Protein backbone atom coordinates (compact mmCIF):
# COMPACT_ATOMS: atom_id res chain seq x y z
CA UNK A 1 0.00 0.00 0.00
CA UNK A 2 1.17 3.52 -0.76
CA UNK A 3 -0.05 7.11 -0.94
CA UNK A 4 0.60 9.21 -4.03
CA UNK A 5 2.52 12.37 -3.10
CA UNK A 6 2.71 14.12 -6.47
CA UNK A 7 4.86 15.03 -9.46
CA UNK A 8 8.19 16.74 -8.72
CA UNK A 9 11.38 17.83 -10.46
CA UNK A 10 14.34 15.49 -9.95
CA UNK A 11 17.46 17.54 -10.58
CA UNK A 12 20.47 16.05 -12.33
CA UNK A 13 23.05 17.00 -9.69
CA UNK A 14 20.90 16.82 -6.54
CA UNK A 15 18.89 13.61 -6.66
CA UNK A 16 15.90 13.29 -4.38
CA UNK A 17 16.34 9.53 -4.45
CA UNK A 18 19.90 8.14 -4.38
CA UNK A 19 18.97 4.47 -4.82
CA UNK A 20 17.87 2.83 -8.08
CA UNK A 21 15.89 -0.31 -7.34
CA UNK A 22 17.86 -3.33 -8.49
CA UNK A 23 20.62 -1.05 -9.76
CA UNK A 24 19.29 -1.20 -13.33
CA UNK A 25 16.42 0.19 -15.35
CA UNK A 26 13.50 -2.08 -16.17
CA UNK A 27 11.95 -2.66 -19.56
CA UNK A 28 8.58 -3.63 -18.05
CA UNK A 29 8.28 -1.06 -15.26
CA UNK A 30 4.95 -0.68 -13.45
CA UNK A 31 3.95 1.27 -10.36
CA UNK A 32 3.37 -1.90 -8.33
CA UNK A 33 6.76 -3.30 -9.29
CA UNK A 34 8.49 -0.13 -8.06
CA UNK A 35 6.46 0.15 -4.85
CA UNK A 36 7.07 -3.47 -3.91
CA UNK A 37 10.76 -3.22 -4.72
CA UNK A 38 11.41 -0.08 -2.65
CA UNK A 39 9.34 -1.36 0.27
CA UNK A 40 11.11 -4.69 0.09
CA UNK A 41 14.47 -2.92 0.47
CA UNK A 42 13.18 -1.00 3.50
CA UNK A 43 12.68 2.45 1.94
CA UNK A 44 9.86 4.84 2.82
CA UNK A 45 9.44 6.40 -0.62
CA UNK A 46 9.30 5.17 -4.21
CA UNK A 47 9.44 7.23 -7.39
CA UNK A 48 9.19 6.58 -11.11
CA UNK A 49 11.02 8.57 -13.79
CA UNK A 50 11.13 8.36 -17.59
CA UNK A 51 14.10 9.81 -19.41
CA UNK A 52 15.60 7.80 -22.26
CA UNK A 53 14.81 4.82 -20.04
CA UNK A 54 12.36 4.20 -17.20
CA UNK A 55 13.65 4.07 -13.66
CA UNK A 56 12.39 2.99 -10.25
CA UNK A 57 13.99 5.09 -7.51
CA UNK A 58 13.85 4.64 -3.73
CA UNK A 59 14.68 6.86 -0.78
CA UNK A 60 13.85 8.08 2.70
CA UNK A 61 12.40 11.31 3.98
CA UNK A 62 15.78 12.72 4.98
CA UNK A 63 16.82 12.68 1.31
CA UNK A 64 13.83 14.74 0.15
CA UNK A 65 13.16 18.45 0.01
CA UNK A 66 9.41 18.07 -0.53
CA UNK A 67 8.64 20.66 2.12
CA UNK A 68 10.50 23.29 0.05
CA UNK A 69 9.46 22.04 -3.37
CA UNK A 70 6.11 22.73 -4.95
CA UNK A 71 4.55 19.85 -6.89
CA UNK A 72 4.24 20.16 -10.66
CA UNK A 73 1.17 19.70 -12.80
CA UNK A 74 0.34 16.04 -13.30
CA UNK A 75 0.66 16.52 -17.06
CA UNK A 76 4.46 16.65 -16.57
CA UNK A 77 4.47 13.13 -15.10
CA UNK A 78 2.25 11.40 -17.64
CA UNK A 79 4.69 9.19 -19.56
CA UNK A 80 3.05 5.74 -19.86
CA UNK A 81 4.78 2.91 -18.00
CA UNK A 82 6.27 0.40 -20.42
CA UNK A 83 4.95 -2.48 -18.33
CA UNK A 84 1.43 -1.05 -18.11
CA UNK A 85 0.54 1.79 -20.48
CA UNK A 86 -2.53 2.66 -18.39
CA UNK A 87 -0.17 3.84 -15.61
CA UNK A 88 2.12 6.89 -15.56
CA UNK A 89 5.85 6.57 -14.82
CA UNK A 90 6.88 10.19 -14.32
CA UNK A 91 8.50 12.27 -17.05
CA UNK A 92 11.85 13.60 -18.24
CA UNK A 93 13.63 14.51 -14.97
CA UNK A 94 10.18 14.54 -13.39
CA UNK A 95 9.33 11.92 -10.78
CA UNK A 96 6.02 10.55 -9.59
CA UNK A 97 6.50 10.07 -5.83
CA UNK A 98 4.70 7.57 -3.58
CA UNK A 99 4.89 7.32 0.22
CA UNK A 100 4.97 3.66 1.22
CA UNK A 101 2.58 2.63 4.00
CA UNK A 102 4.04 -0.09 6.23
CA UNK A 103 2.08 -3.33 6.44
CA UNK A 104 1.08 -4.18 10.01
CA UNK A 105 0.52 -7.74 11.18
CA UNK A 106 -2.24 -8.63 13.65
CA UNK A 107 0.27 -8.68 16.51
CA UNK A 108 1.33 -5.13 15.65
CA UNK A 109 4.64 -6.04 13.99
CA UNK A 110 5.61 -3.94 10.98
CA UNK A 111 6.21 -6.32 8.11
CA UNK A 112 8.15 -3.99 5.84
CA UNK A 113 11.00 -3.24 8.28
CA UNK A 114 14.16 -4.73 6.75
CA UNK A 115 15.24 -7.55 9.04
CA UNK A 116 18.16 -8.44 6.76
CA UNK A 117 20.54 -5.77 8.11
CA UNK A 118 22.81 -8.62 9.30
CA UNK A 119 23.54 -9.27 5.63
CA UNK A 120 25.39 -7.29 2.99
CA UNK A 121 25.08 -7.53 -0.75
CA UNK A 122 27.82 -9.69 -2.24
CA UNK A 123 26.88 -9.18 -5.88
CA UNK A 124 23.88 -8.47 -8.09
CA UNK A 125 22.38 -9.74 -11.31
CA UNK A 126 23.77 -13.28 -11.40
CA UNK A 127 21.85 -16.40 -10.48
CA UNK A 128 23.41 -19.07 -8.30
CA UNK A 129 23.73 -22.47 -9.90
CA UNK A 130 25.22 -24.39 -6.96
CA UNK A 131 23.07 -26.58 -4.73
CA UNK A 132 20.98 -24.67 -2.16
CA UNK A 133 21.32 -25.54 1.52
CA UNK A 134 17.65 -26.48 1.71
CA UNK A 135 16.09 -28.68 -0.92
CA UNK A 136 13.00 -26.51 -1.15
CA UNK A 137 12.99 -22.91 -2.28
CA UNK A 138 10.87 -20.24 -0.70
CA UNK A 139 8.30 -18.24 -2.60
CA UNK A 140 6.92 -15.06 -1.09
CA UNK A 141 4.77 -12.45 -2.78
CA UNK A 142 4.33 -8.77 -2.10
CA UNK A 143 6.23 -6.36 0.08
CA UNK A 144 8.02 -8.75 2.43
CA UNK A 145 9.78 -11.13 0.05
CA UNK A 146 13.39 -10.19 0.80
CA UNK A 147 12.59 -9.78 4.48
CA UNK A 148 11.14 -13.29 4.62
CA UNK A 149 14.14 -14.68 2.75
CA UNK A 150 16.51 -13.10 5.29
CA UNK A 151 14.40 -14.45 8.16
CA UNK A 152 14.49 -17.94 6.65
CA UNK A 153 18.28 -17.77 6.43
CA UNK A 154 18.51 -16.45 9.99
CA UNK A 155 16.32 -19.28 11.30
CA UNK A 156 18.38 -21.95 9.50
CA UNK A 157 21.38 -22.82 11.62
CA UNK A 158 23.82 -23.49 8.76
CA UNK A 159 22.75 -20.64 6.47
CA UNK A 160 25.50 -18.16 5.56
CA UNK A 161 24.02 -16.51 2.45
CA UNK A 162 20.86 -16.23 0.43
CA UNK A 163 19.91 -15.24 -3.08
CA UNK A 164 16.74 -13.40 -3.95
CA UNK A 165 15.07 -12.69 -7.29
CA UNK A 166 13.37 -9.31 -7.65
CA UNK A 167 11.32 -10.70 -10.52
CA UNK A 168 10.14 -14.13 -9.34
CA UNK A 169 10.49 -13.50 -5.57
CA UNK A 170 12.45 -16.76 -5.42
CA UNK A 171 14.61 -17.27 -2.32
CA UNK A 172 17.49 -19.76 -2.04
CA UNK A 173 19.58 -20.43 1.07
CA UNK A 174 23.27 -21.42 1.06
CA UNK A 175 25.59 -22.92 3.64
CA UNK A 176 28.68 -20.93 2.65
CA UNK A 177 29.64 -17.35 1.87
CA UNK A 178 29.05 -16.73 -1.81
CA UNK A 179 31.38 -15.00 -4.25
CA UNK A 180 30.79 -13.85 -7.80
CA UNK A 181 32.72 -16.83 -9.14
CA UNK A 182 30.11 -19.13 -7.57
CA UNK A 183 27.53 -17.84 -10.04
CA UNK A 184 27.56 -18.92 -13.65
CA UNK A 185 24.06 -18.15 -14.91
CA UNK A 186 23.07 -14.63 -15.92
CA UNK A 187 19.91 -13.35 -14.26
CA UNK A 188 19.43 -9.59 -14.19
CA UNK A 189 16.97 -9.78 -11.29
CA UNK A 190 18.86 -11.82 -8.68
CA UNK A 191 20.99 -10.50 -5.81
CA UNK A 192 23.13 -12.44 -3.35
CA UNK A 193 23.60 -11.40 0.28
CA UNK A 194 26.16 -12.81 2.72
CA UNK A 195 25.97 -12.89 6.50
CA UNK A 196 28.02 -10.00 7.86
Amino acid sequence: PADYVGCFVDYINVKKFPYTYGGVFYTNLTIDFCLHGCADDGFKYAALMSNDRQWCLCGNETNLDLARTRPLCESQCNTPCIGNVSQSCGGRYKISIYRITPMIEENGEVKSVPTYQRYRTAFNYLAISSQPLKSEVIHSNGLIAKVECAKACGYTIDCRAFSFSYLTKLCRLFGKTMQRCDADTTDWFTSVLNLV
Side-chain angles (χ1 to χ4, degrees), residues 16-188:
K16 284 183 172 64
F17 294 93
Y19 179 81
T20 303
Y21 175 59
V24 296
F25 68 95
Y26 289 99
T27 57
N28 294 307
L29 186 63
T30 65
I31 292 172
D32 288 343
F33 182 87
C34 187
L35 293 178
H36 287 183
C38 292
D40 204 31
D41 278 355
F43 289 101
K44 297 177 182 177
Y45 288 86
L48 299 100
M49 179 174 66
S50 299
N51 289 342
D52 53 334
R53 300 166 179 169
Q54 293 194 335
W55 303 84
C56 172
L57 309 169
C58 311
N60 290 312
E61 196 165 5
T62 54
N63 298 317
L64 299 177
D65 59 355
L66 295 181
R68 298 173 306 199
T69 306
R70 296 176 63 179
L72 303 171
C73 296
E74 289 304 314
S75 61
Q76 297 194 50
C77 282
N78 64 356
T79 302
C81 298
I82 296 173
N84 184 345
V85 295
S86 68
Q87 298 178 344
S88 295
C89 279
R92 185 166 180 78
Y93 296 110
K94 310 294 189 301
I95 53 177
S96 299
I97 297 179
Y98 292 82
R99 183 181 295 108
I100 298 167
T101 307
M103 293 180 65
I104 309 295
E105 293 181 340
E106 289 182 8
N107 64 4
E109 181 183 348
V110 179
K111 286 185 177 181
S112 59
V113 170
T115 58
Y116 53 89
Q117 294 176 352
R118 296 169 51 214
Y119 302 87
R120 66 168 174 260
T121 302
F123 55 91
N124 294 316
Y125 323 133
L126 287 173
I128 296 294
S129 60
S130 58
Q131 183 66 33
L133 175 66
K134 299 180 74 174
S135 58
E136 72 272 17
V137 292
I138 300 160
H139 288 274
S140 182
N141 295 316
L143 300 179
I144 58 172
K146 187 185 284 186
V147 172
E148 291 301 318
C149 192
K151 282 182 181 178
C153 188
Y155 294 154
T156 303
I157 193 167
D158 295 326
C159 186
R160 294 292 175 266
F162 67 88
S163 68
F164 175 77
S165 169
Y166 294 96
L167 183 63
T168 64
K169 304 297 185 184
L170 188 65
C171 172
R172 287 186 174 91
L173 310 181
F174 300 94
K176 66 173 186 174
T177 298
M178 306 303 290
Q179 300 177 11
R180 188 176 293 274
C181 59
D182 295 314
D184 61 11
T185 305
T186 301
D187 176 4
W188 294 107

